[in-house]
Amino acid sequence: MPDVLSAPLVVEFPFTRSLGPVQSAFLTGLRERTVLGVRTGDGKVLVPPVEYDPVTAQEIHDLVEVAATGTVTTWAWNPRPRRDQPLDTPFAWVLVRLDGADTALLHVLDAPGPEAVRTGMRVRVRWAEDRTGAITDIACFEPYDSEPGETAPHDGEFTEPVTGIVTPARLDYTYTPGRAQSAYLEALADRRVVGERCPSCRKVYVPPRGACPTCGVATDERVEVGPRGTVTTYCVVNIKAKNLDIEIPYVYAHIALDGADLALHARIGGIPYDQVRMGLRVEPVWTEGSRHPGHYRPTGEPDADYDVYKELV
Ligand SMILES: [Zn+2]
């Protein structure tokens, strides 16, 4: 049996979004311990609010303050909280219909165990100590027996409204490559690039996925490609990425390695960013201790003729 490769993989980026008037009022309201919904054309109150009526698509902005108490409409127990979840002790994910609302809000309920949670139970908001204008201003919900609370119209006006939020998105998982990708990674460890040829259309895929997406057949003929290649297209990156120690501007390019029928993408170095061009011939620059080339640099050969790589753009 071959060794099975496995590695932790994290895909993470902060997503910055600006808020329209309705979302701005909702999140600023949370900062001020006020839960706002929006009334639709047929009189329903939506919490969390949206900017457009889901039935008629009309723009809606008629804000309503609902109660900070409500009823659990459904739930699921989470026995093992993960990093950055609202509570670090086991909790229930709940949909809560706040008093005065017709829709339910997804949040978490602090409860000692699943036996303490049921659909129909009464709950209330537990406000976070430090509130910034985010859904996490509601720290969680907690069990609370009470009569249904009241609603009241609200003008949505606050001092220093929140106009934008940063939402971190993070996926972390353990990745286990299949047969084709394992062979590709093992060859990379020897600084060789190995693709697979489709037995039907004869295309060489790099990196290989084990099957041809066009013909739908398994690919098992290994073909060494590169190491040199041709820039088929590229972009100049002017935005500094967090946690990435590369000076901007820099060039990220699609590179067709010699013998490959699919371009891979990599950074181009060793040449001023404004001199990179389609057809530029490049070669990998390997980084000590890394399985992947750190970047590609010009070989000094004449540029490739467009006809040679036009099918790969
Ligand atoms: Zn094929």
Side-chain angles (χ1 to χ4, degrees), residues 23 77 97 201 207 245 272 285:
Q23 301 297 334
W77 188 250
R97 190 174 60 236
C201 69
D245 191 23
V285 178

Side-chain angles (χ1 to χ4, degrees), residues 264-289:
L264 48 76
H265 45 86
R267 186 168 64 86
I268 303 294
I271 178 173
Y273 74 93
D274 55 358
Q275 288 177 28
V276 175
R277 55 204 179 264
M278 291 169 74
L280 182 70
R281 296 284 296 155
V282 292
E283 64 188 1
V285 178
W286 296 89
T287 314
E288 206 53 53

Side-chain angles (χ1 to χ4, degrees), residues 198-203 205 212-217 219:
C198 171
S200 173
C201 69
R202 310 298 293 162
K203 274 190 176 164
Y205 289 98
C212 175
T214 308
C215 308
V217 296
T219 55

Side-chain angles (χ1 to χ4, degrees), residues 12 27 92 101 118 131 204-205 256 274 289:
E12 183 174 33
L27 294 178
R118 62 185 170 79
R131 293 181 308 280
V204 175
Y205 289 98
D274 55 358

